[in-house]
Amino acid sequence: MSARTYRYIGTRPIRHDGLDKVTGRANYGADFTLPGLLQGVVVRSPHAHARIVSIETQAAEAVPGVKAVITGKDIPETSARLALGAEGAFDLHDIGDNLMAHGKALYEGHAVAAVAATSIDAAREAAKLVRVVYEPLEPVMSIERAIAPDAPILHADMVTKGRPLPGTTGPTNIAGRMELKRGDVDQAFAGADVVVEREFRTSTVHQGYIEPHACVARSGEDGQILVWCSTQGGFIARDFCALILGIDAARIKVIPSEIGGGFGGKIPVYLEPVAIVLSHKAGRPVKMVMSRSEVFRASGPTSGTRIRMKLGAKRDGTIVAAQASLWYEAGAYRGSPSGAGAMCCLASYAIPNFFVEAHDVVVNKPKVAAYRAPGSPMATFATESLVDEVARAIGMDPIELRLKNAVAEGDHAPYGPVYGPIGLKQVLEAARAHPHWSAPLGPSQGRGVACGFWFNAGLSSSATVTLNGDGSAGVVTGNPDIGGTRVAQAMMVAEELGIPVERVRPSVADTDTAGYTDLTGGSRVCYATGMAVIRAAQDIAEQLRSRAATIWNVDRDRVAWEPGRPGRVIALDESPDGSVRPPLTIVELASKMAQTGGPIVGRAAVNAPMAGPGFAAHICDLDVDKETGRSTVARYTAIQDVGKAVHPSFVEGQMQGGAAQGIGWALNEEYIYDADGVMENAGFLDYRMPVASDLPMIDTVLVEVANPLHPYGVRGVGEVPIVPPLAAVANAMRDATGVRFTELPLSPSRVLEGLGTIAKG
Amino acid sequence: MLSIRYEAPRSIAEAIHLLASDPGAHVLAGGTDLLVQFRAGAKQPSAFIDVKRIPDLVGISLDTNGLRLGAATPAAAICEHAELGRLWPGLVEAVHLIGSAQIQGRGSVGGNLCNASPAADTTSALIADRAECVIAGPGGERVVPAERFCTGPGTTILRRDELLVAVVLPRPPARTADAYFRLIPRSEMDIAVAGAGASVTLDASGTCTAARVAVGAVAPTALLVDAAGQALIGTRLDEATLSLAAAAASAAARPISDKRGTAAYRRHVVGVLAKRAIVSAAARARER
Ligand SMILES: Cc1cc2nc3c(=O)[nH]c(=O)nc-3n(C[C@H](O)[C@H](O)[C@H](O)COP(=O)(O)OP(=O)(O)OC[C@H]3O[C@@H](n4cnc5c(N)ncnc54)[C@H](O)[C@@H]3O)c2cc1C
């Protein structure tokens, strides 16, 4: 594999969808329209926690132009589950109740009713007239409150899944608990030379994708349903709608639009089933578009967390023991990524003894959704802060310490399997060798380093490649293109068939057109869907061999495929008259398609149960104004094992984007709630994601340790880069100020509180 | 369903008439506050009275007495005016902080004042620069100092049928300069957690002979902090004096804790900003 030289893989062609996107021609979720389109508006709970006593809709229905009003009664309560891969599954009861509250509003912004009308103004006016009587309940806004003995219980029937805390009886807000262990932790801590322990906290944060959720749904008289939406997966959106509404999947066609970011947040459905039900009731198509405020209040951010962690090490830097107690807020329904946090937080180091417990806790905040490496950044923030403390305690260079403990091929991952070829050591060596690591710091600056891990996913994908008569080709897959996967797929076809990338047209198809494909997520598209694309292209090459065999009237195994430029078929034997047969190029064979057997279509479907794990190390220089507590990232370098970079620009883009989001999480992003559990900063003005001018150009180093599971060595790259920044920034803050901050975000007031300049409050 | 009138009067009198005859009418300058509030449902005007076509409200005129700045003059025009940047670098800095290039193409100093946000960036700078507000109403014109213009968050001394026409600034005397600093957690596109403007006059020996310090986002309105200015006069702005002025700014602050920062943080940081503004203004004054 390593011997293979590539013609297209590793180059940087212009993406096929680029011009449409920069000129505004591309169609996003809110860009669709149909004749007779109605506008849908959701009525949302102003209370964080309340029993719904009654809902009256007559006044709303009487507003001129209103064609349908629905409430929770119109969304059936289902007990169905939707499997994802071998282990994962979505609880559709909860997703259905999250779409529209049935008995209780569980967070401020929870949908309680929806209206469709001929104009957005009429819909809004009607929405105001939906009379909901609430019996407000005490909102549960923190883990502390949720687990207090006298806490209000969100779900009367909730029991702890997994390994409940001993003594748990009756209903609880602890939705789940799991343990991971290895060796003898107590003994190992007793034998450690250095033990460091801290409690860490991170806030609820949002993915902050630029494009709000949007869809158009049309439910026909014939029971056929069409949905246009911005989603991370046409098939998952279709299956969610089908299962929640109890409709055959064959009756629903989902056409995914271009997508303006998702990061995991566009895996669930929020609007689509509601729009279908409204359309069904109104007999007309319905469009629904969230405002930014609705996106913040009623889509899926990721967990706020509280983590207690302890590390023990020998004076030579060997980490001998780790203990952690992870508490993750799930939002209103079970399902925080606490388990993933537990599996990820020690994955970078070979630690012989550990005990990790992870808790999934429901609170009156929106139901969390996946967010880039879900669960890993928060727990890794704790680990990497403590590794920094160990390095300080024993006076060892922090990269040296990490190298000493870093996992390598053959080590057991804390979550079970044995690692194959992985690149953490190479990444750390590249970090140490990078000029950034040895560059002098300014007087008010500090430097931090941190590592990160993410599993990456495989799952199921299909691809179809069609050869055109002129030797160009089309490739069709079912993954909405978030990170440049279309051009990567075209490059794979180009590589296999030896035709220029520009002569391959990649397209993202709807659920009627593409073969079944799991969602765009888990950093899986370039890897798993890529594998299907490569095989579909190879299927074409095989068919070309057959066609040449027919033309030459020889046995198929006497012809070989040469993926040259252009790709061609060569005869292994001379012709009967002793002459050498000139090779047949793909272009020639394509032109003879009709005479040699008809269309040439390659197809492949793969199920990739595993993926190659990804590791990264980030270096951050932080400039801290100690008088104001304000800090600025002065320099930032992201180093990552990317397996094989198919299109290096997009790999670098993923690394920079992940770093930018992680820096935002570390410095200023947080959900701010008032005493009643109402979100106070549901907009980009006060939910402070970094703007372009906040960040320096983020330098990237691509380390390529081939993943043997993939023909080119590709591994997922999109999620790992959000894992290290939280601790990289906090470690830089420690270096700059001498103070260890354990609570994020490191907003200016929190920094001055930590420095003792001002009182906490 | 929703119907709103749009009017674009060509004279102050016409505008005042329109305002007087419709209690639901709102003045529209750049709209960068008003239209956002309208879309958010916070304001429901029955009419927009666009004042950008009234010649008296748009334009920059500078003479030996000072500056007359039309209330609806777009921020971008102020930022691009070289002479303004030379005479009032602090005010221009404050104007330049508003939003982005797009926002500055529309947003105005008059709108910034009339919107009466305690965090408005230009208000503290205007107060430090001894600006006066020229107001027109049915009974004619009146003039009030900038520090008396806003009366609380979102409220001003303007009556329903009055219009801010211009702000006027006296020409700075010799060795006088201004500066404005604000604290936002990000680098742009954010609202001041606290802000401070200063204007400092030095004599030939470097002794401060006049000074004004104003602070924003730390009270219901931007405040003129007399004690901070007084502390500077007669000194050579040594470290101890600067600390006194900073302490005076902090003491004058009556901040709240909200999503943008805690009261303790604001009180502290407004002192830091006041000191930085004084130091910067003095450095500029020395160069004149
Ligand atoms: C993205 C963005 C970023 C921003 N950043 C900043 C910032 O950094 N700092 C800052 O201070 N502000 C900021 N703002 C707020 C706003 O841009 C400024 O306050 C701007 O100066 C308002 O001017 P305008 O002409 O657009 O006012 P408008 O929105 O037209 O008017 C504002 C208010 O004043 C009234 N009004 C306007 N002119 C007059 C007049 N002549 N007489 C009587 N009443 C009048 C209007 O009726 C309205 O109530 C930002 C706004 C946005 C949207």
Side-chain angles (χ1 to χ4, degrees):
Chain A
M1 180 188 339
S2 53
R4 182 163 180 183
T5 53
Y6 295 104
R7 287 176 191 80
Y8 299 106
I9 302 303
T11 65
R12 301 171 186 250
I14 288 174
R15 64 197 290 170
H16 301 65
D17 48 320
L19 190 73
D20 278 357
K21 284 181 174 164
V22 299
T23 55
R25 211 154 46 201
N27 287 311
Y28 289 87
D31 290 335
F32 291 99
T33 186
L34 288 173
L37 191 66
L38 302 178
Q39 305 291 331
V41 165
V42 174
V43 180
R44 298 184 182 280
S45 168
H47 302 288
H49 194 190
R51 197 175 312 286
I52 298 170
V53 178
S54 63
I55 306 182
E56 246 182 72
T57 59
Q58 289 98 317
E61 280 154 4
V63 172
V66 169
K67 300 293 177 192
V69 181
I70 64 167
T71 68
K73 287 203 192 82
D74 298 281
I75 306 278
E77 288 198 64
T78 174
S79 56
R81 295 170 67 77
L82 175 60
L84 181 68
E87 283 139 41
F90 292 94
D91 184 326
L92 295 170
H93 175 272
D94 287 355
I95 293 182
D97 196 58
N98 191 40
L99 279 175
M100 199 145 288
H102 286 86
K104 256 174 124 183
L106 291 165
Y107 53 93
E108 185 249 335
H110 196 165
V112 294
V115 178
T118 49
S119 75
I120 191 74
D121 291 334
R124 285 192 186 130
E125 187 179 324
K128 281 186 211 148
L129 296 175
V130 172
R131 209 175 346 270
V132 187
V133 178
Y134 297 95
E135 177 196 329
L137 304 169
E138 180 199 327
V140 178
M141 301 307 292
S142 69
I143 287 164
E144 282 79 359
R145 186 67 194 124
I147 64 177
D150 64 339
I153 297 294
L154 270 68
H155 302 275
D157 58 352
M158 181 167 279
V159 291
T160 308
K161 278 196 187 159
R163 296 171 150 272
L165 283 170
T168 311
T169 52
T172 171
N173 289 326
I174 304 179
R177 183 174 175 280
M178 61 100 82
E179 295 177 0
L180 281 180
K181 51 186 145 193
R182 175 191 291 167
D184 184 334
V185 176
D186 293 339
Q187 203 183 325
F189 274 116
D193 297 321
V194 175
V195 175
V196 292
E197 182 173 9
R198 293 278 198 289
E199 182 162 307
F200 298 87
R201 279 162 198 274
T202 67
S203 295
T204 304
V205 296
H206 198 273
Q207 301 85 347
Y209 32 83
I210 288 295
E211 182 202 17
H213 297 263
C215 74
V216 170
R218 187 177 75 197
S219 176
E221 301 80 353
D222 55 359
Q224 300 299 319
I225 293 164
L226 266 165
V227 179
W228 291 258
C229 61
S230 177
T231 174
Q232 285 180 238
F235 288 94
I236 197 168
R238 181 196 67 181
D239 293 351
F240 275 144
C241 292
L243 288 165
I244 291 168
L245 301 177
I247 302 171
D248 212 13
R251 276 175 40 201
I252 305 178
K253 171 176 175 176
V254 171
I255 305 173
S257 67
E258 292 294 348
I259 174 167
F263 310 103
K266 286 185 187 156
I267 297 170
V269 286
Y270 299 102
L271 299 174
E272 294 82 353
V274 175
I276 291 173
V277 174
L278 283 171
S279 171
H280 181 74
K281 205 163 175 177
R284 283 167 66 168
V286 174
K287 178 171 185 167
M288 300 187 82
V289 181
M290 279 197 195
S291 67
R292 179 60 58 188
S293 155
E294 289 180 290
V295 172
F296 274 112
R297 292 182 295 131
S299 66
T302 194
S303 307
T305 66
R306 185 181 132 188
I307 297 167
R308 186 151 198 97
M309 195 182 278
K310 180 161 118 174
L311 289 184
K314 293 287 194 190
R315 209 167 301 288
D316 70 354
T318 312
I319 302 174
V320 293
Q323 188 161 352
S325 182
L326 276 45
W327 298 81
Y328 280 45
E329 294 173 1
Y333 303 88
R334 69 169 73 243
S336 77
S338 55
M343 292 191 267
C344 291
C345 66
L346 304 175
S348 295
Y349 305 111
I351 304 177
N353 307 283
F354 59 74
F355 176 79
V356 182
E357 52 167 6
H359 306 82
D360 179 24
V361 183
V362 291
V363 295
N364 291 118
K365 297 184 182 179
K367 173 176 169 49
V368 301
Y371 179 14
R372 217 168 184 163
S376 186
M378 313 79 141
T380 304
F381 163 55
T383 313
E384 293 293 317
S385 296
L386 289 183
V387 169
D388 197 61
E389 286 295 296
V390 170
R392 287 175 184 280
I394 62 175
M396 195 168 180
D397 174 86
I399 292 186
E400 218 47 61
L401 178 76
R402 286 174 170 85
L403 265 170
K404 191 169 177 69
N405 294 284
V407 286
E409 181 170 2
D411 283 333
H412 268 278
Y415 55 94
V418 173
Y419 287 124
I422 50 172
L424 179 57
K425 290 206 160 157
Q426 293 88 324
V427 162
L428 282 164
E429 272 152 16
R432 186 169 56 182
H434 195 281
H436 183 173
W437 186 241
S438 43
L441 282 166
S444 53
Q445 295 182 350
R447 178 167 299 149
V449 65
C451 293
F453 158 87
W454 182 246
F455 314 92
N456 298 323
L459 303 176
S460 297
S461 287
S462 317
T464 311
V465 178
T466 302
L467 186 63
N468 301 323
D470 61 1
S472 65
V475 53
V476 174
T477 62
N479 283 116
D481 179 358
I482 303 188
T485 52
R486 254 186 296 228
V487 66
Q489 288 162 4
M491 291 168 77
M492 293 173 195
V493 172
E495 189 68 45
E496 293 300 322
L497 297 181
I499 53 180
V501 180
E502 312 79 64
R503 297 203 73 206
V504 183
R505 180 182 178 85
S507 90
V508 176
D510 60 68
T511 54
D512 281 3
T513 312
Y516 180 84
T517 293
D518 279 323
L519 56 109
T520 299
S523 303
R524 62 174 289 278
V525 178
C526 201
Y527 167 71
T529 307
M531 217 137 66
V533 168
I534 292 167
R535 287 193 198 158
Q538 288 168 346
D539 184 10
I540 296 239
E542 284 306 298
Q543 294 177 46
L544 292 175
R545 279 177 64 211
S546 303
R547 300 296 169 103
T550 307
I551 293 169
W552 287 328
N553 196 19
V554 299
D555 239 25
R556 199 178 108 89
D557 51 338
R558 302 314 300 153
V559 299
W561 170 253
E562 258 191 10
R565 197 181 205 166
R568 57 193 195 165
V569 174
I570 54 166
L572 296 176
D573 307 316
E574 295 169 349
S575 62
D577 65 7
S579 63
V580 177
R581 286 194 173 95
L584 287 167
T585 67
I586 185 169
V587 181
E588 290 165 313
L589 287 166
S591 71
K592 296 193 170 73
M593 210 152 43
Q595 298 93 302
T596 57
I600 298 180
V601 177
R603 56 165 290 277
V606 304
N607 177 240
M610 291 200 298
F615 291 90
H618 289 191
I619 309 169
C620 171
D621 290 358
L622 201 64
D623 205 311
V624 184
D625 180 340
K626 290 193 194 108
E627 286 184 328
T628 64
R630 193 177 172 280
S631 52
T632 311
V633 176
R635 186 172 179 181
Y636 201 96
T637 306
I639 305 115
Q640 186 175 321
D641 171 18
V642 302
K644 175 73 198 168
V646 172
H647 192 306
S649 300
F650 294 131
V651 173
E652 289 156 5
Q654 289 294 317
M655 291 164 65
Q656 292 165 327
Q661 285 183 312
I663 291 167
W665 199 335
L667 286 182
N668 284 305
E669 291 180 37
E670 61 179 320
Y671 270 47
I672 301 172
Y673 285 99
D674 72 9
D676 297 324
V678 173
M679 189 179 180
E680 292 191 294
N681 61 334
F684 281 139
L685 182 57
D686 291 306
Y687 180 86
R688 290 167 167 141
M689 291 189 84
V691 296
S693 57
D694 288 340
L695 297 175
M697 178 48 88
I698 291 165
D699 201 1
T700 55
V701 179
L702 312 187
V703 173
E704 295 188 323
V705 176
N707 171 15
L709 299 170
H710 186 277
Y712 303 160
V714 166
R715 47 178 103 229
V717 299
E719 289 168 289
V720 190
I722 200 174
V723 182
L726 283 61
V729 171
N731 289 344
M733 180 64 84
R734 163 68 185 79
D735 195 41
T737 62
V739 176
R740 167 64 57 191
F741 286 84
T742 56
E743 197 171 339
L744 300 183
L746 298 170
S747 52
S749 31
R750 180 161 290 143
V751 169
L752 284 197
E753 286 164 11
L755 296 181
T757 311
I758 59 169
K760 222 174 142 69
Chain B
M1 180 160 308
L2 194 71
S3 106
I4 303 175
R5 245 168 357 110
Y6 170 83
E7 304 277 1
R10 306 297 163 120
S11 72
I12 293 174
E14 208 186 321
I16 287 166
H17 174 73
L18 286 164
L19 284 173
S21 56
D22 181 352
H26 284 245
V27 173
L28 174 78
T32 62
D33 277 316
L34 184 57
L35 294 182
V36 175
Q37 292 156 0
F38 167 61
R39 280 198 57 178
K43 280 189 184 160
Q44 276 138 359
S46 56
F48 288 117
I49 313 299
D50 186 344
V51 293
K52 292 191 290 297
R53 312 244 176 118
I54 305 175
D56 285 335
L57 267 83
V58 182
I60 299 167
S61 54
L62 204 53
D63 61 22
T64 47
N65 294 324
L67 166 69
R68 183 185 184 284
L69 186 59
T73 309
I78 298 168
C79 295
E80 283 161 13
H81 197 288
E83 188 64 3
L84 279 193
R86 213 183 56 71
L87 289 170
W88 292 280
L91 174 62
V92 174
E93 270 162 10
V95 174
H96 194 63
L97 287 174
I98 296 176
S100 56
Q102 292 91 331
I103 298 297
Q104 286 166 22
R106 302 225 127 220
S108 64
V109 167
N112 201 227
L113 260 176
C114 294
N115 186 59
S117 159
D121 283 308
T122 68
T123 309
S124 308
L126 289 170
I127 294 172
D129 286 334
R130 302 170 176 82
E132 299 197 306
C133 305
V134 181
I135 298 166
E141 268 189 15
R142 59 180 177 135
V143 177
V144 303
E147 57 270 27
R148 282 190 33 225
F149 187 78
C150 297
T151 52
T155 58
T156 67
I157 58 156
L158 288 182
R159 286 187 288 266
R160 263 240 46 85
D161 51 4
E162 283 183 324
L163 194 63
L164 178 67
V165 175
V167 292
V168 292
L169 274 71
R171 206 174 173 93
R175 286 182 301 279
T176 298
D178 64 350
Y180 175 77
F181 282 80
R182 72 170 178 184
L183 189 293
I184 56 171
R186 292 181 290 196
S187 52
E188 59 179 353
M189 302 305 281
D190 216 330
I191 302 285
V193 177
S199 166
V200 173
T201 305
L202 304 177
D203 67 14
S205 74
T207 299
C208 177
T209 56
R212 276 164 70 99
V213 175
V215 294
V218 291
T221 64
L223 300 175
L224 174 65
V225 187
D226 272 326
Q230 290 303 324
L232 304 177
I233 296 169
T235 77
R236 298 175 62 87
L237 306 180
D238 52 294
E239 198 51 41
T241 303
L242 292 172
S243 297
L244 274 180
S250 290
R254 289 177 275 126
I256 54 166
S257 287
D258 69 3
K259 60 194 172 189
R260 300 196 176 125
T262 64
Y265 179 75
R266 287 189 154 117
R267 189 173 295 112
H268 167 80
V269 93
V270 79
V272 175
L273 297 172
K275 181 171 160 182
R276 289 181 183 179
I278 294 162
V279 169
S280 168
R284 286 169 174 163
R286 268 178 219 114
E287 281 165 19
R288 293 211 167 149

